[in-house]
Amino acid sequence: MKKLTSSTSRLKLAATSAISSGNGCMLQHNALGRSMATIVPPVTQDSTTSKGPTAMVFMNMGGPSTTGAVGDFLSRLFADADLIPLGPLQSYLGPLIARRRTPKIQKQYAAIGGGSPIRKWSEYQSSEMCKILDRISPETAPHKPYVAFRYADPLTEEMYAQLLDDGFGRGKGGRAVAFTQYPQYSCSTTGSSLNELWKWRNRLEGKDTAGGKNPEGAIQWSVIDRWPVHPGLVEAFAQNVEAQLASYPKERRKQVVLLFSAHSLPMSVVNRGNCLSSKTDLVHWRPLPSDSWNVRLTSYLGDTYPAEVAATVYAVMTRLSFSNPYRLCWQSQVGPSAWLGAQTSDTVQAYVKKGQTDLVLIPIAFTSDHIETLFELDQEVIHEAGHPGVKRAESLNGSKVFIEALADVAVNHLRSGESCSRQMALRCQGCKSERCMEQKKFFVGSGEAPLAF
């Protein structure tokens, strides 16, 4: 990986983030939780520190903050071929599917309070993390929190424009870290967000000059692209599981089944690295007998997401000393095509029918509450199970352990000097996407091309 260079000019601090109760990132508490983070004053590129200020950009898919924003959110989501590949008719089918689904999804968001809380939690987590970073990494301070959503406000282009307005880039340089809030990497999630970030970087700051060098004074980017088994992440998950297990009578506690639930992916995405032709895989795919399914998944796995989710699950169970039986299942399938399974809803129904009614659902690939937890799990899966023994572990949200983990991931990255992980440089076995290759070349660095490109 390339080593990031610090700015050659001395930097001075013109504006600092107030942390008193009336200013900065301070959040007010109420009976329902924490409110939206207030706006942080701009941090401009005239700091007195040698390496700061540093922009910390949280990347996630986002969610509509109001029911009126659902249509635009779905339109962007179904237009993204990295997430939901619809073939050559994507530009026609995407908007059509979005329009048809909008009324139904609006009702779901209305049922959880009128909008997604993901922006609230992302802004809170990022601002609290930056406070810790200012304390433990003064050499890269001040740290400025930003949020970039793929399908909802604040969109990637809005975040980038804010970066420029705050004094990063435009001849002033500065460092920014793209910090994925998907702990487990997927081309369809983190990869899609990085594709979007790379696109807007080129549009707003110009493409690399000859030799792959940044335009003079452009923002220096690095990426935290995955962190599936970070000890702090594992500890935060484990503590939430233990808290929910404590709600069962002691004599039943060891028999509670832990169901780790992650967002599913289309098998066409999972098998992007398939040694077979992509056409054969997508068009003629047929379910295989159960005894050969695992062979297929491990033999032809291209996207690393299923393996990294499984690694998180295993790490959490190791921390719990394998106290309970457990399974990994997958949720949020859309449409009739083949998706990664078994589905969470089917799994719960099957166990309940067999008499196993003590189940704890654990959202293992999400870093905060949103529609998939508050509606799909709480109001559909658990409600339809019809048994009080089926419960859900709390999401990470405002967990202090989790926020400290975010800071630890970030500070280790800042001190490493690396632009991204070694894993990110390796493309999927059968990937033929020119955009993916060019994006990886940019983030990996001009000195190294993506491996096996």
Side-chain angles (χ1 to χ4, degrees):
M1 303 305 98
K2 70 179 179 183
K3 296 290 181 179
L4 297 175
T5 59
S6 60
S7 174
T8 56
S9 61
R10 299 292 293 174
L11 304 172
K12 293 183 180 180
L13 178 63
T16 59
S17 301
I19 58 172
S20 60
S21 61
N23 300 286
C25 300
M26 183 63 69
L27 295 171
Q28 303 299 321
H29 293 261
N30 57 34
L32 296 177
R34 297 177 174 87
S35 65
M36 291 284 290
T38 56
I39 301 299
V40 182
V43 176
T44 56
Q45 285 296 309
D46 55 355
S47 170
T48 55
T49 59
S50 61
K51 296 182 180 179
T54 305
M56 302 300 299
V57 180
F58 272 29
M59 299 188 306
N60 211 326
M61 73 185 308
S65 296
T66 65
T67 55
V70 169
D72 288 342
F73 170 77
L74 292 179
S75 294
R76 297 184 188 106
L77 188 146
F78 283 101
D80 184 7
D82 290 327
L83 178 65
I84 303 178
L86 299 174
L89 296 178
Q90 183 111 23
S91 61
Y92 169 75
L93 292 176
L96 177 63
I97 296 171
R99 286 195 300 271
R100 289 186 174 181
R101 288 183 61 82
T102 293
K104 175 183 177 182
I105 304 303
Q106 283 178 324
K107 292 179 181 178
Q108 293 180 1
Y109 277 103
I112 64 169
S116 173
I118 191 171
R119 180 172 183 174
K120 175 191 76 172
W121 286 121
S122 296
E123 290 179 341
Y124 176 74
Q125 292 165 346
S126 61
S127 63
E128 292 298 301
M129 178 197 72
C130 284
K131 292 177 185 178
I132 298 174
L133 287 176
D134 286 346
R135 185 177 72 250
I136 66 176
S137 183
E139 66 274 16
T140 53
H143 302 85
K144 164 76 172 179
Y146 294 85
V147 172
F149 287 153
R150 184 66 179 85
Y151 313 114
D153 293 334
L155 295 166
T156 304
E157 58 265 39
E158 296 168 353
M159 176 280 300
Y160 215 114
Q162 188 64 53
L163 270 178
L164 298 176
D165 289 345
D166 286 352
F168 291 87
R170 287 179 177 161
K172 299 178 182 178
R175 181 177 189 178
V177 178
F179 192 169
T180 181
Q181 293 306 292
Y182 307 101
Q184 305 91 2
Y185 182 91
S186 172
C187 296
S188 64
T189 53
T190 298
S192 178
S193 289
L194 290 175
N195 284 339
E196 191 75 357
L197 178 60
W198 172 73
K199 179 183 78 176
W200 284 103
R201 180 264 179 193
N202 287 342
R203 290 185 180 181
L204 297 176
E205 291 204 90
K207 295 184 178 180
D208 291 350
T209 60
K213 295 182 179 179
N214 274 344
E216 186 174 355
I219 298 170
Q220 297 181 43
W221 283 97
S222 65
V223 182
I224 300 172
D225 51 90
R226 71 199 74 210
W227 37 292
V229 292
H230 184 274
L233 175 71
V234 172
E235 180 64 25
F237 277 129
Q239 288 187 10
N240 286 354
V241 172
E242 289 174 329
Q244 189 60 274
L245 284 173
S247 69
Y248 292 87
K250 188 174 182 179
E251 63 274 13
R252 289 162 44 194
R253 201 167 295 162
K254 292 290 185 180
Q255 282 70 49
V256 176
V257 173
L258 306 181
L259 295 180
F260 294 89
S261 184
H263 201 295
S264 187
L265 286 179
M267 289 307 299
S268 57
V269 172
V270 174
N271 288 329
R272 273 180 179 147
N274 199 324
C275 298
L276 303 175
S277 71
S278 58
K279 181 177 180 180
T280 301
D281 187 51
L282 295 179
V283 177
H284 301 292
W285 185 90
R286 293 290 185 275
L288 295 176
S290 58
D291 59 352
S292 58
W293 172 251
N294 286 334
V295 175
R296 178 186 178 90
L297 183 59
T298 55
S299 298
Y300 298 120
L301 185 67
D303 195 290
T304 61
Y305 176 72
E308 293 189 12
V309 171
T312 307
V313 170
Y314 195 82
V316 173
M317 289 309 304
T318 300
R319 157 61 178 77
L320 295 172
S321 301
F322 296 92
S323 60
N324 293 73
Y326 69 99
R327 287 294 184 272
L328 170 59
C329 44
W330 309 87
Q331 65 180 90
S332 309
Q333 176 175 331
V334 178
S337 62
W339 283 57
L340 191 63
Q343 288 293 303
T344 302
S345 56
D346 295 340
T347 301
V348 171
Q349 289 293 332
Y351 279 127
V352 169
K353 287 180 181 179
K354 292 177 180 179
Q356 177 61 50
T357 56
D358 287 343
L359 307 167
V360 172
L361 293 164
I362 304 140
I364 196 64
F366 306 117
T367 55
S368 70
D369 273 324
H370 44 78
I371 193 76
E372 285 84 355
T373 58
L374 298 176
F375 186 83
E376 185 179 353
L377 293 183
D378 292 354
Q379 299 188 35
E380 287 189 328
V381 174
I382 293 177
H383 176 74
E384 291 170 6
H387 197 282
V390 182
K391 305 178 183 182
R392 176 173 71 86
E394 184 180 352
S395 298
L396 298 177
N397 294 338
S399 163
K400 290 184 178 180
V401 172
F402 174 65
I403 292 170
E404 289 170 356
L406 291 172
D408 189 62
V409 172
V411 75
N412 287 332
H413 172 78
L414 291 169
R415 291 172 178 170
S416 74
E418 293 187 345
S419 59
C420 61
S421 72
R422 295 290 300 174
Q423 186 75 330
M424 183 175 154
L426 182 63
R427 299 180 70 198
C428 292
Q429 298 95 308
C431 179
K432 295 178 174 63
S433 169
E434 291 293 324
R435 180 177 59 171
C436 174
M437 180 178 70
E438 294 303 320
Q439 172 255 109
K440 285 182 178 291
K441 282 182 178 179
F442 171 73
F443 287 113
V444 169
S446 58
E448 297 182 44
L451 300 175
F453 72 95

